[in-house]
Amino acid sequence: MSPSPLVHLAPAVADALAAGRPVVALESSIIAHGFPPPQNRALADELAATVTAAGAVPAMIAVISGELRVGLDADALDLLVRGNLAKASARDLGPLIAAGVTAGTTVAATARIAALAGIKVFATGGIGGVHRRLPNDSGPPDISADLAELGRTTIAVVTAGAKSILDLPATVEMLETLGIGVIGYGTAEFPAFHSRESGLPLAHRVDGIAPLAAAVRAHLHVAGTAMLVCNPPPAAIAVPWAELSGWIEAALQSAGREGVSGQRVTPHLLAALNRFSGGRSQAVNRALALDNATLAAKLAVAL
Ligand code: PSU
Ligand code: MN
């Protein structure tokens, strides 16, 4: 499939796709909005090196000066890590292209652009989902467009479940409603991003790359939706749920007090969680993002 005329492939990505070699798409909101400079630049470089070391070509995706870029060079990364950038979900891409701006792409936007480019495997930290109600908020429910996008886009997404700050039972129900595939890699429980535990059972589990690739390949041929490959955060650094839930409660109180809404909710909650956890949540986020990049690369090689 030839990519959309609006999608700009880096030379290494174009070559790999043309030759049928493994490529892993990487989300850029984690770089633009999740980590402050200079850690964000270091993480972008580590993610790329991790994918390369596991035998695939890394393709971080972002909107750079109005271009949908698949694979970022050093100049593009310099623009992405400055902070205060727009956060692009899939529906924002049209106006952002027209305005010529630079933006980090969410899971929704990254999945859309990756699929346009013909990429089959995408690594993120954790997807968005159904938000919990913030204290004193009586407004409408806040549901990430990540869910709707993954319900109509054929791609494998390696993720540590969904972000722990979300309403995870509601998110898991919505994944079912939308027909999004969910499979545990070495787990029968939906991971909770910073924690390996959520108490939410998974219907499908695999314990090796070959059975994972078989299930993903079949899903991508029949389902017409994304397949979430749920990879729990590394045991050595994951936070027990009992400890995590106190920090999340404090972060929700902080967001409620400040009246945060819209696209600012997720970045605000993650930053607050990092303060309340004394930096532990960001350390887990970094470790799981790198671990997901490794698994995604192995999956892309096997496919
Ligand atoms: N990491 C952050 N902040 C974010 C995100 C990641 O520190 O905002 C992005 C992810 O890319 C995810 C998105 O896809 O947040 C979900 O946000 P929303 O609920 O606004 O759709
Ligand atoms: Mn939202």
Side-chain angles (χ1 to χ4, degrees), residues 27-31 33-35 87-89 105-110 124 126-129 131 142-146 163 166 193 262-268 270-271 285:
E27 178 214 327
S28 58
S29 177
I30 185 174
I31 303 301
H33 314 110
F35 284 75
K87 175 174 156 184
S89 191
T105 49
T106 66
V107 167
T110 307
T124 180
I127 65 164
H131 280 274
D142 181 354
I143 302 173
S144 175
D146 289 358
K163 293 207 166 71
L166 299 167
F193 195 55
Q263 287 185 318
R264 291 176 48 240
V265 171
T266 298
H268 182 101
L270 292 177
N285 197 345

Side-chain angles (χ1 to χ4, degrees), residues 178-280:
L178 293 168
I180 298 166
V182 184
I183 194 164
Y185 184 73
T187 185
E189 197 173 340
F190 190 71
F193 195 55
H194 302 99
S195 178
R196 295 172 67 89
E197 307 115 51
S198 69
L200 300 165
L202 294 178
H204 308 289
R205 167 186 182 150
V206 286
D207 288 280
I209 296 292
L212 174 65
V216 166
R217 191 182 296 113
H219 180 92
L220 297 182
H221 273 109
V222 298
T225 63
M227 170 69 114
L228 294 189
V229 177
C230 290
N231 185 31
I237 195 168
V239 182
W241 181 259
E243 200 172 349
L244 181 63
S245 60
W247 304 335
I248 293 174
E249 203 44 55
L252 291 166
Q253 296 291 340
S254 149
R257 261 194 318 274
E258 296 189 26
V260 179
S261 66
Q263 287 185 318
R264 291 176 48 240
V265 171
T266 298
H268 182 101
L269 287 173
L270 292 177
L273 196 62
N274 197 47
R275 289 196 304 277
F276 292 119
S277 68
R280 270 181 76 190

Side-chain angles (χ1 to χ4, degrees), residues 125-155:
I127 65 164
V130 181
H131 280 274
R132 303 191 207 194
R133 193 162 280 287
L134 298 179
N136 305 317
D137 173 25
S138 53
D142 181 354
I143 302 173
S144 175
D146 289 358
L147 294 177
E149 189 61 44
L150 297 176
R152 59 175 172 249
T153 303
T154 298
I155 194 163

Side-chain angles (χ1 to χ4, degrees), residues 22-45:
V23 176
V24 172
L26 297 164
E27 178 214 327
S28 58
S29 177
I30 185 174
I31 303 301
H33 314 110
F35 284 75
Q39 291 106 295
N40 56 0
R41 179 57 190 266
L43 180 58
D45 291 340

Side-chain angles (χ1 to χ4, degrees), residues 16 129 164 177 224 260:
S164 56
T177 302
V260 179

